[in-house]
Amino acid sequence: MVEKYDVAVIGGGSAGLAALKQLSNLGKQAILIEAGKQLGSKNVSGGILYSKKPRQGKAHNVEDVYGSDFLSDLPVERKITKYMLHSTSRNKIFTMDLTAAHEYQANFGYTVLMSKLNAWFAKRAGESAEQQGGGIVSGVHVKSISWQDDGRAIIETDELEPFEVKAIIAADGVNSEVAEMTGARPKFTPEDLYQGVKVVVKLPEEIIEQRFGVGPGEGAAHLFAGDVTLNHIGGGFVYTNRDTLSVGAVYHYDSLMRLPAEPSQLVNALLKNPMVSEFIKDEVAVKEEIDRNLPKEEQLRARFAVSKLIKTWNELRDAYHSPDARKKLVEAGKYKSEDEIKARLDFVRNELTTKYRTKFVTDYVELEYSAKLVPDGKRCMMKKPYHKNILFIGDAAGRGVFIGPRIEGLNVGIDDAVRAANAAARAIDRGNFSPEYMGQYYGDLVNDSPYTRDMKEIDKDYLKIFLDATKDVPKDIIGQRYGMVFKLMSSGTLRGLAVGLANILGYDRLLPLVESEDTYVQVPIELAEKMGQPVSATYAPTIPTVSQRVAKLKYDDDRTSHIKVLEPRSEFMKKMVTLCPTNCYSLEGEDVTLQHEACIECGTCSKETEWRHPRGEKGIVFQYG
Amino acid sequence: MEIKGYLMPGNTLNAAVIVKLEPDFSEGNVSYNADGTLNRAETKSILGPHSAVASSAAFYAKVRYGARIAVTTMGPPIADVALQQAQVLCDADELHLYSDRMFAGADTLATAEVLRNGIAKVEGGQLDLVFSGHRASDGETGQTGPQTAWKLGFTFLGNVIDYDIDVPNRMVRAKRLISLQGFYDVIEEVEAPLPVFIAIDPSYKASFNTVSQRLAFEKYQKEGKVRAQDYKRYLKVFNAQQLGADPKLVGLPGSPTIVYKVERIPKAKASRKAEVIDGSSREELRKAAAKMYEILGGMVIK
Ligand SMILES: Cc1cc2nc3c(=O)[nH]c(=O)nc-3n(C[C@H](O)[C@H](O)[C@H](O)COP(=O)(O)OP(=O)(O)OC[C@H]3O[C@@H](n4cnc5c(N)ncnc54)[C@H](O)[C@@H]3O)c2cc1C
Ligand code: SF4
């Protein structure tokens, strides 16, 4: 006898967790299956989590799902209050303030780190689900789904005995195996996708506030286009977290295929931009070689002592630059006052310089390197986001709003989740899980979503913000490229007409014009050259190599590979040698070979491989995400 | 719908775990007195590693069969930290500490006597399962388990690496790791009626392979952590009198053996003997066949 449940959510990213929470909110039993052991350890974002108040229709926001708990606990980083777009060319930068675009129809936008955020979501969703006889099952990888005559689905996993469910919510992300194994949609193509690569950089809390000109708890988003793109369509970002920065590059996969560039180099280009170098800079302790003439034991002791002191210095310094941590240290009686913390900090620093000849230099500290594909909803959202009794949500359904600097997948996935959960709950009440009753209904709900509209149509009010921001830009820079379109758009009365016309043409026709190298590379470069200010960096950051970055990551190694190369000589696979962010592919003679150990499960190579997520608990374990 | 574990109506099993507070042998932070005996005052004490394995084996009974669990130990008042640490591992419903000056100096037999008296107090003596570790790390001989089992009159199953219970028929099915003719990886499968005393092998690892087991695992694991934060609420301390222990059978008077010194043992030499049979003649081959027959014939595997 197999175990039976009402609903299984597959995938515990922000979308799947919201589905579980919403089902529990509605009093329905559901279980969630997640491959990662710790919830949040497999997810990567930029990212800014938005809550929206669209003028038309309703968005189901994070706080609607998790209640006021979310707003009081705030498992987030900083509330973004500044949103700037920089056009770069060499050392010249032209900046436009796009805070209005960030605030457009938004209740708020917080920076988030997925590992922390999803762990918080999981705690709430798991507790609610338990009360309905369900819960979260982590460290389990779904490998196949089949259907019985009565329409119920049997789910097989690598770890557990098969079980039966009436409905499935597929939230298994951009590289959805559920979509693939059920034939619900073909694999996404490079045309549909962006590749995101990110590094998390350490920076003490108050230094962030001073440097970015924001108050406590507030943050800034800085976006980059121009020569930092190394001629690709897309751009870079620097987001402030509480005591880290997220520095990332997101590029259209198609343009990476045309002009292959190593993902790490794309982030590096950003890090080397003088403005970004200055953003990330910090004081870093560098160990001095230990005198080899000393006796072995003495050397060992010194090495130990230095490491320990540097650790203390780092921790104390982070605490000293954080009002909360400072207060806690004093309250706990570890220090009498904040001055005493400072004194101790100086003492440790002095000890390091005088006793151990440690140097303190200007550099930056990377904590984590990550990557993930991002679906561009305009191009790849599932027209019918369901298949039999499976409802697809979030990245798995190819749903994300991608307009200019706007990358929204988190809020879209949460909104989808609510709609899917509502449809599933209604199906439970009626005992009807057929595609006509449940799937179709979900499809209709999704069609009503304001985000779906954003994936289909141009929003002229949003566009206006950009036009307003460029009003001081000489028309010849922009006009010569977009000619008529721009003229129409920049006139108030004609804008409506132009947008109407554009919407008739549809995104399909418009995208090659708007999402082009002109927009992301040439125009910004020209802007920077003609109107930009020179910016200089006071140092050159020491950027780690890919192997150094990989060495810092945490994995639960699986000896067998989750990816199989099918055509080792295809053009696509050859490009993977460059495009895999962790250099898992190499060319041996004519054949492309894979060493899966360093794989961070981004999905870039999935198109022409037999691509699975690793077995439960195995593979990458992100600490930040 | 077949759902085992915590969704099963009614608790049908009662289990006890015997644990021990031991010096923390990890990280080499052990200190010895000048005479070579352990300096207990300076060595930090924790739940012994074998006790931890026993606790997780009991936890399996909770997850799979909804068993109620009592963790028990004999020791000084500070031994309650071992109970607390065990509670994290097995979400114990009760914690029993048998503590009395009279118990001091007990050898394994006298310890077994205290435990027997104590365990009789668990669930009014209605016990189905008792778990203990393989042995303690701090110089115990592995006799406490069998002796307690013998005193309780329970079937003793040693070196258990896996077990399941047929609840309606009150039968345990266990796998034991046994050594036959010097071969260490022979697994014997046995069946025994409840109640049983299970000494868990250090290599034991529980596996949960259905959704409901995983859900129950999560639920009880969380509950265990919460309970352990407030472990004193679950703690009952018994002295000799409350246990009704016979003074002649516990502590020093009840101990026929006395440990007078624990020596640091020099690294043992490998004791396995190898006989070379080179297969060069019929005679040699016959020898090989006979040897294999002898070994295989010895494995009574059900
Ligand atoms: C660099 C970058 C920047 C971004 N910036 C933003 C931003 O600023 N704002 C924004 O809103 N969005 C942003 N996004 C997009 C956003 O991060 C994603 O849309 C979102 O994280 C997707 O959530 P999800 O739950 O749909 O999928 P995921 O988070 O990918 O979750 C899928 C889960 O399913 C699990 N899984 C997969 N297969 C199986 C299986 N077979 N069995 C069991 N479990 C399985 C995985 O382990 C994973 O945990 C960004 C993305 C990237 C990469
Ligand atoms: S092997 Fe494939 S999925 Fe893994 S990191 Fe490289 S490109 Fe990404």
Side-chain angles (χ1 to χ4, degrees), chain A residues 3-5 130 160-161 163, chain B residues 1 209-212 222:
Chain A
E3 291 186 357
K4 297 179 175 131
Y5 297 90
E130 249 172 44
L160 306 179
E161 284 170 22
F163 55 94
Chain B
M1 171 157 44
N209 56 5
T210 68
V211 169
S212 61
K222 258 187 267 166

Side-chain angles (χ1 to χ4, degrees), chain A residues 10-16 33-36 42-50 114 118 140-143 171-174 177 196-198 237 239 249-250 372-374 393-396 407-411 613:
Chain A
I10 302 177
S14 47
I33 312 289
E34 162 59 37
K42 295 277 183 191
N43 315 103
V44 177
S45 190
I48 304 175
L49 169 60
Y50 282 101
M114 294 322 285
N118 279 346
V140 171
H141 174 249
V142 172
K143 69 171 178 206
D172 51 341
V174 61
E177 287 169 64
V197 207
K198 187 176 94 162
F237 61 81
Y239 297 151
V250 182
K372 187 71 118 200
L373 292 179
V374 199
I393 66 171
D395 279 13
I407 308 177
E408 291 173 21
L410 298 170
N411 51 337
H613 293 83

